[in-house]
């Protein structure tokens, strides 16, 4: 191992990794289009778009230029009392493109923070109306909403390792995860456990928080749009706000611009992140309805008490604007639907393997669920030999490539998964 990697292993935390027996890390020297180039010379097709973010690929000329131009104007100014064109343009675009009724934008610096903001808005909304009983959240199991404390409290209790933090974590209410698959016949029984919980608990509930259509890092599960539709109806019926976390699903990934569109609903509060800047830097947004905004700011204290130092960072807003322009002019719909067709054809072949229990595809998301947990270090060596970058967790091998992936590059990804599991 060279000096750099040794230093890295001894001193640097990586995501979800042991400080004592860390998984190996590979050093990157360049990334361009769908490719990640390693210091050791390999050129890998990125199957995970750097965790859902790099939807247009790396080193994109339009996105690069947006950062350069904004750097030359100004890189950052505080957002308290100051504003700027990149933020104004971005918020205008977000209001236009998201489901109707979301007219107020709070710019946050990461997905988890946008979830904190959403939850805080919901709590303050009820508190400012003199209702101090509604301070809990309800959410289906198998969700993932981020790693900060409020977000963590609504993550799946098992995957989120709640047992480690029981005393420090707010206790929320968990409904069973939705069971009806996206493309199967809707089953009315699927919604009744949630409805039963709402009947009992609605007096103490501020909001229902859910990832629309695809539960991502909490299990890569794809569920029926009717479930989401019913969530919207039940929230209206029981006087609870609906928070949709589209941090992973937003900006075309599921075949619609936003996954809420599959169910034709609008939430009261919407979280966006990940692909917002096309994978260039950390930026997220919490959008809410006029009713929520008014509710939060009526009475005392009359303000929403949140304001990150780097709120509305102009560089991040500028590159987000460039990414949204590419979405608006680009062929994302055709690209995502071609990826979906090909993933359905090619990943389905994995069902013939003994190691595989399920294959799920929606839009540019492909999931292969295995019988037992995969050895990440081992399978990654295989993937790198095959010229691809895929990072499984547990029993889930999943891909969500940049939308610009070609059919040949996509086949490289699906064949690498097949051969890894065929050999095992
Ligand atoms: C990634 C993710 C988050 C957290 O975003 P960060 O930017 O990592 O803080 C929250 N919700 C969902 C659905 C996500 O996929």
């Amino acid at each position: 191992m060279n000096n750099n990697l040794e230093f890295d292993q001894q001193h640097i935390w990586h995501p979800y990794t042991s400080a004592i027996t860390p998984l190996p890390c590979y050093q990157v020297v360049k990334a361009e289009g769908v490719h990640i180039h390693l210091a050791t010379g390999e050129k890998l097709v990125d199957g995970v778009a750097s965790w859902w973010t790099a939807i247009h690929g790396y080193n994109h000329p339009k996105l690069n230029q947006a950062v350069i131009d904004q750097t030359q104007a100004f890189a950052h100014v505080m957002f308290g009392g100051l504003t700027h064109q990149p933020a104004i343009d971005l918020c205008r675009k977000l209001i236009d493109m998201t489901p109707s009724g979301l007219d107020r934008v709070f710019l946050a610096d990461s997905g988890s923070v946008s979830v904190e903001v959403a939850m805080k808005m919901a709590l303050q909304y009820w508190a400012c109306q003199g209702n101090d009983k509604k301070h809990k959240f309800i959410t289906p199991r198998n969700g993932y909403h981020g790693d900060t404390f409020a977000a963590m409290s609504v993550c799946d209790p098992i995957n989120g390792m709640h047992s480690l933090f029981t005393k420090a974590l707010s206790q929320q209410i968990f409904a069973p995860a939705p069971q009806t698959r996206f493309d199967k016949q809707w089953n009315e029984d699927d919604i009744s456990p949630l409805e039963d919980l709402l009947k009992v608990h609605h007096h103490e509930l501020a909001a229902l928080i859910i990832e629309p259509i695809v539960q991502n890092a909490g299990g890569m599960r794809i569920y029926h749009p009717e479930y989401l539709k019913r969530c919207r109806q039940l929230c209206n019926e029981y006087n609870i706000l609906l928070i949709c976390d589209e941090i992973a699903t937003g900006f075309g990934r599921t075949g619609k611009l936003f996954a809420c569109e599959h169910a034709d609903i609008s939430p009261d509060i919407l979280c966006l992140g990940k692909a917002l800047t096309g994978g260039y830097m950390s930026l997220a947004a919490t959008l809410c309805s006029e009713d929520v905004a008014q509710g939060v700011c009526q009475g005392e204290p009359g303000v929403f008490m949140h304001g990150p130092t780097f709120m509305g960072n102009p560089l991040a807003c500028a590159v987000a604007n460039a990414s949204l322009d590419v979405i608006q002019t680009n062929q994302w719909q055709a690209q995502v639907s071609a990826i979906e067709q090909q993933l359905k054809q090619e990943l389905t072949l994995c069902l013939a393997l003994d190691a595989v229990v399920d294959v799920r595809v929606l839009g540019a998301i492909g999931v292969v669920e295995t019988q037992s947990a995969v050895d990440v270090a081992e399978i990654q060596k295989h993937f790198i030999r095959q010229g691809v970058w895929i990072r499984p967790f547990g029993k889930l091998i999943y891909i969500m490539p940049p939308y610009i992936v070609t059919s040949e590059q996509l086949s490289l990804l699906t064949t690498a998964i097949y051969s890894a599991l065929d050999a095992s």
Side-chain angles (χ1 to χ4, degrees):
M1 206 186 305
N2 74 32
N3 241 345
N4 282 328
L5 289 181
E6 213 164 284
F7 177 87
D8 187 290
Q9 194 171 70
Q10 285 166 9
H11 299 283
I12 308 181
W13 289 105
H14 284 266
Y16 314 110
T17 294
S18 165
I20 303 162
T21 53
L23 288 171
C25 270
Y26 301 89
Q27 195 174 342
V28 175
V29 288
K30 177 178 151 172
E32 193 158 32
V34 297
H35 288 111
I36 292 174
H37 299 246
L38 299 185
T40 39
E42 294 90 345
K43 180 176 158 192
L44 311 175
V45 173
D46 183 3
V48 287
S50 280
W51 277 341
W52 315 83
T53 64
I55 52 177
H56 312 302
Y58 299 98
N59 219 332
H60 192 287
K62 289 208 174 90
L63 275 62
N64 287 359
Q65 197 57 48
V67 180
I68 293 166
D69 292 346
Q70 187 56 42
T71 310
Q72 279 158 4
F74 53 100
H76 184 69
V77 291
M78 65 188 278
F79 212 48
L82 298 175
T83 194
H84 46 79
Q85 204 61 47
I88 294 167
D89 291 345
L90 176 61
C91 295
R92 195 171 261 147
K93 284 181 186 137
L94 290 177
I95 290 167
D96 279 350
M97 74 199 295
T98 52
S100 65
L102 298 164
D103 293 332
R104 297 274 180 160
V105 189
F106 187 102
L107 296 170
D109 28 21
S110 76
S112 301
V113 171
S114 78
V115 171
E116 298 287 322
V117 165
M119 293 175 76
K120 198 163 158 181
M121 274 180 183
L123 294 172
Q124 190 168 332
Y125 176 80
W126 297 112
C128 288
Q129 299 183 44
N131 188 331
D132 57 0
K133 296 206 181 65
K134 287 165 98 60
H135 53 77
K136 283 197 174 190
F137 294 85
I138 188 167
T139 189
R141 286 176 186 271
N142 281 106
Y144 175 78
H145 298 285
D147 294 340
T148 50
F149 267 79
M152 187 165 60
S153 77
V154 287
C155 288
D156 183 85
I158 297 162
N159 296 330
M161 301 192 188
H162 284 199
S163 58
L164 290 174
F165 311 107
T166 357
K167 293 209 173 113
L169 214 53
S170 303
Q171 301 297 305
Q172 314 294 13
I173 294 166
F174 292 93
Q179 298 300 319
T180 316
R181 297 171 71 119
F182 183 85
D183 48 4
K184 291 286 171 329
Q185 175 92 34
W186 166 248
N187 179 356
E188 202 55 34
D189 294 342
D190 208 4
I191 198 70
S192 27
L194 177 68
E195 187 163 10
D196 292 345
L197 286 167
L198 292 179
K199 268 185 203 143
V200 179
H201 294 287
H202 66 99
H203 299 291
E204 51 175 339
L205 289 171
L208 162 64
I209 179 166
I210 187 168
E211 292 156 279
I213 308 300
V214 186
Q215 294 187 291
N216 304 281
M220 303 299 302
R221 302 171 80 260
I222 305 168
Y223 64 85
H224 200 285
E226 185 65 22
Y227 186 93
L228 185 60
K229 223 177 247 179
R230 300 298 283 276
C231 285
R232 178 66 276 181
Q233 287 167 3
L234 288 168
C235 282
N236 292 347
E237 200 176 317
Y238 287 98
N239 207 21
I240 296 166
L241 297 174
L242 175 64
I243 304 174
C244 282
D245 177 352
E246 290 243 19
I247 292 169
T249 50
F251 306 107
R253 183 55 70 179
T254 67
K256 303 273 188 192
L257 200 46
F258 297 96
C260 284
E261 294 170 24
H262 288 287
D264 206 13
I265 61 129
S266 289
D268 302 294
I269 304 177
L270 176 74
C271 298
L272 301 174
K274 290 208 161 93
L276 177 57
T277 63
Y280 269 58
M281 43 190 113
S282 187
L283 182 68
T286 309
L287 283 83
C288 73
S289 66
E290 191 57 31
D291 173 54
V292 169
Q294 296 290 334
V296 162
C297 298
Q298 75 184 31
E300 289 300 314
V303 295
F304 183 57
M305 278 307 288
H306 211 101
T309 306
F310 281 94
M311 187 167 181
N313 175 253
L315 289 175
C317 291
V319 73
N321 278 319
S323 176
L324 298 185
D325 288 346
V326 175
I327 286 181
Q328 237 116 47
T329 57
N330 209 344
Q331 304 300 309
W332 70 268
Q333 223 152 1
Q335 291 167 330
V336 170
S337 104
I339 294 170
E340 179 174 45
Q341 293 308 314
Q342 195 180 340
L343 286 178
K344 279 185 175 158
Q345 276 171 16
E346 296 180 7
L347 282 186
T348 307
L349 300 176
C350 294
L351 277 174
L353 300 170
D354 290 339
V356 174
V357 294
D358 194 22
V359 170
R360 311 188 270 273
V361 173
L362 182 69
I365 307 169
V367 185
V368 176
E369 187 171 333
T370 55
Q371 194 96 44
S372 45
V374 299
D375 179 338
V376 177
E378 271 312 304
I379 204 169
Q380 252 177 1
K381 279 189 214 156
H382 170 86
F383 287 144
I384 286 170
R385 280 195 299 270
Q386 303 293 311
V388 300
W389 176 250
I390 300 172
R391 188 175 169 85
F393 65 89
K395 300 176 182 175
L396 299 168
I397 305 178
Y398 59 94
I399 48 178
M400 53 262 189
Y403 302 162
I404 56 160
V405 71
T406 65
S407 144
E408 291 73 27
Q409 290 161 341
L410 192 55
S411 287
L412 211 59
L413 290 163
T414 58
T415 348
I417 294 175
Y418 186 93
S419 61
L421 296 172
D422 194 20
S424 66

